[in-house]
Amino acid sequence: MPHPALVYPVPESSQNSKASKFRALLTSSELEFLMEAHNGLSAKIVEEAGFKGIWASGLSMATALGVRDRNEASWTQVIETLEFMSDATSVPIMLDGDTGYGDFNNFRRLVVKLCQRGIAAVCIEDKVFPKTNSLIDGKQVLADIEEFCGKIRAGKDSQLDDDFSVVARIEALIAGWGMDEALRRAEAYHEAGADAILIHSKKPAPDEILAFAKEWAGRSPLVIVPTTYYATPTERFREAGLSMAIWANHNLRASISAMREISGRIFAKQSLNDVEGEVASLKEVFALAGNSEMVEAERRYLSAKTVETQAVVLAATRGSALAELTEERPKCMLDLRGEPLLRRLVRTLNNAEVRDVTVVCGYKPEAVDLPNIKKVVNQSFETSGEVSSLACALGAVSGPAVISYGDIVFRDYVLDLLLQSDADIVLAVDAKWQDHAEGGRKHAPDLVVCDRPYAEDQFLDERSVMLERFTNDQDDLSAHGEWIGLARVSRAGLEALRDEVDVLRAEGTLEKTNLPDLFTRLASKGMAARIVYITGHWLDINDAFDLARARNVI
Ligand code: SPV
Ligand code: MG
């Protein structure tokens, strides 16, 4: 079974199985249901809801394309729509083939094309081309019986798949020709080889359909479209021995109602705020489009090097310990020997071919005026923490990504070590953090406890070191090092971060969570970060002393 997100032609064996699945539905002893869809998205939603088959409605596909149900869309445009629907789903599709788009010759070509594209069945109605919708007011012109029988035979003779079905739809009741004519036509179409009869009615009650079913007496499977007699209990269709009911246009109509409502409200309010909680989330959109399969496929087929790594730099804070030095600019824009700290960081990233850099600003964002960066602003930077800032950038990255504090300086090789790792989350940790701290104390270091300490000969040891948790306690003797504020996440790692951010948001704790908390939470859920130990070669800038030291060593 192909993955629903796979938008390439499905193998012939499974195409065949769609036709046989449809035939099984048509001939089963149960009443079965087809639900309307009109494009790839609605087809996916129908399958997701649990339906075993799809009605590719002519009315709905035409309306969704913005034209009338009057053969205004060409048959190749219909086929193109169907191809998206078929690629997006694994349940069988019956095309509402109108009159077959012409004479027997047009119809047999249609049947071949449908079989080639894995469509399970087609229904044709005994009217003349171009047809109009059966439920619209106006005269309906019926096809000549013999001509229509020839069309059915041509279709059946042309099908590439033995299980493909041709359903003959009788419009005699719609056109006002009465029950005898309907039965006469049904008999003729059955004789011509139709796999089932669809008897259509536009009455508000099911009487004529039930009378037809009684007379037809199960000579072949019988299909109905109860759009106008919608109030009939489904049990009555079962009792009448019907094979299939088609819910013919309700996804189209539901989408019209929903789109009108939302467009109207957004237009009136000139704001999205009111509707955000009422529309499908982007997460649902990406899930429906099958993006998770893409993450797996990239992991399987692309080498880590070919996927461009992005970066998020968290640089929202002012750095108030730096007093008047950061009055006009945030800490990341402090001068470090002739250039801002952030420019040095961006250059280090660019040197490692990380060119898509999103900087999360907060304090004085206008002062962050570097070229070749994307800026997002954490408006609540004064009251929220690092994870809130990260959340502001999540829309700009799809991973893999480097996540960096905006106030650190490190040697290029540190970043290279992270980029070379194949872990989903990897953190650079300074094992000699106490040696580099002034007097053994530092400003609130992010200390980590890992499953193994740093060893001098670690490069000979291929076992990975994993994070157990972060600790705030500088006297915690179990701490193995200090996280330097630099991490790399794969696509899957980024998705895990994204999911956890959603959890925090739902819990109402997003604002006060910092990155160490986030990594600790993920570790406790089985997504522990891998640790790359370094020994020095980095510094962070929290106060004027750090700044002076940095200016000295650089
Ligand atoms: C359709 O869904 O396009 C149909 C059914 O053909 S009806 O609209 O009732 O004609
Ligand atoms: Mg139709």
Side-chain angles (χ1 to χ4, degrees), residues 323-548:
E324 72 279 2
L325 286 175
T326 55
E327 207 162 295
E328 300 298 328
R329 59 185 63 80
K331 183 163 57 165
C332 66
M333 292 305 284
L334 282 174
D335 183 84
L336 213 59
R337 291 207 169 238
E339 67 175 346
L341 174 55
L342 181 62
R343 178 180 293 173
R344 168 177 285 274
L345 179 57
V346 170
R347 195 177 53 246
T348 305
L349 290 164
N350 291 171
N351 286 346
E353 296 189 2
V354 179
R355 294 195 186 84
D356 179 340
V357 179
T358 300
V359 177
V360 186
C361 307
Y363 182 72
K364 300 237 182 253
E366 66 287 351
V368 183
D369 55 354
L370 299 181
N372 291 330
I373 58 165
K374 290 189 231 161
K375 281 201 289 186
V376 294
V377 179
N378 176 6
Q379 301 289 0
S380 62
F381 73 97
E382 275 169 314
T383 52
S384 66
E386 295 147 5
V387 177
S388 285
S389 285
L390 177 66
C392 295
L394 285 178
V397 283
S398 54
V402 170
I403 300 171
S404 175
Y405 285 163
D407 60 358
I408 56 174
V409 181
F410 49 84
R411 293 265 301 273
D412 288 3
Y413 82 88
V414 178
L415 180 59
D416 291 341
L417 287 175
L418 297 196
L419 293 172
Q420 281 155 18
S421 167
D422 59 1
D424 283 325
I425 303 178
V426 53
L427 309 178
V429 166
D430 184 1
K432 299 277 171 79
W433 65 285
Q434 279 155 317
D435 298 358
H436 306 117
E438 183 58 23
R441 305 295 296 187
K442 279 194 69 178
H443 171 84
D446 295 324
L447 298 183
V448 297
V449 179
C450 310
D451 62 355
R452 281 184 310 129
Y454 169 74
E456 293 293 342
D457 59 353
Q458 68 163 347
F459 67 96
L460 293 174
D461 186 346
E462 289 185 348
R463 287 173 303 157
S464 19
V465 180
M466 305 305 287
L467 173 76
E468 285 185 351
R469 61 186 167 84
F470 273 80
T471 171
N472 294 326
D473 180 1
Q474 287 200 53
D475 299 318
D476 188 340
L477 293 177
S478 58
H480 294 117
E482 177 183 3
W483 180 47
I484 73 165
L486 188 67
R488 192 198 74 98
V489 290
S490 68
R491 274 194 170 211
L494 187 71
E495 286 314 305
L497 288 189
R498 212 186 284 280
D499 289 345
E500 201 56 29
V501 163
D502 287 345
V503 173
L504 289 164
R505 191 178 279 120
E507 283 175 3
T509 51
L510 180 66
E511 306 263 291
K512 57 175 197 273
T513 306
N514 59 29
L515 275 175
D517 298 334
L518 185 63
F519 290 129
T520 301
R521 283 173 71 110
L522 286 173
S524 71
K525 292 183 175 182
M527 186 88 175
R530 187 181 294 175
I531 301 299
V532 167
Y533 281 125
I534 58 168
T535 53
H537 300 151
W538 73 286
L539 48 87
D540 57 358
I541 292 165
N542 291 301
D543 50 29
F545 178 81
D546 290 340
L547 185 62

Side-chain angles (χ1 to χ4, degrees), residues 55-60 69 96-98 125 127 131-134 169 200:
W55 168 245
S57 154
L59 171 65
S60 300
D69 183 18
D96 169 8
D98 292 346
E125 61 198 65
K127 297 201 300 227
K131 49 74 44 108
T132 58
N133 185 269
S134 304
R169 164 167 158 179
H200 203 10

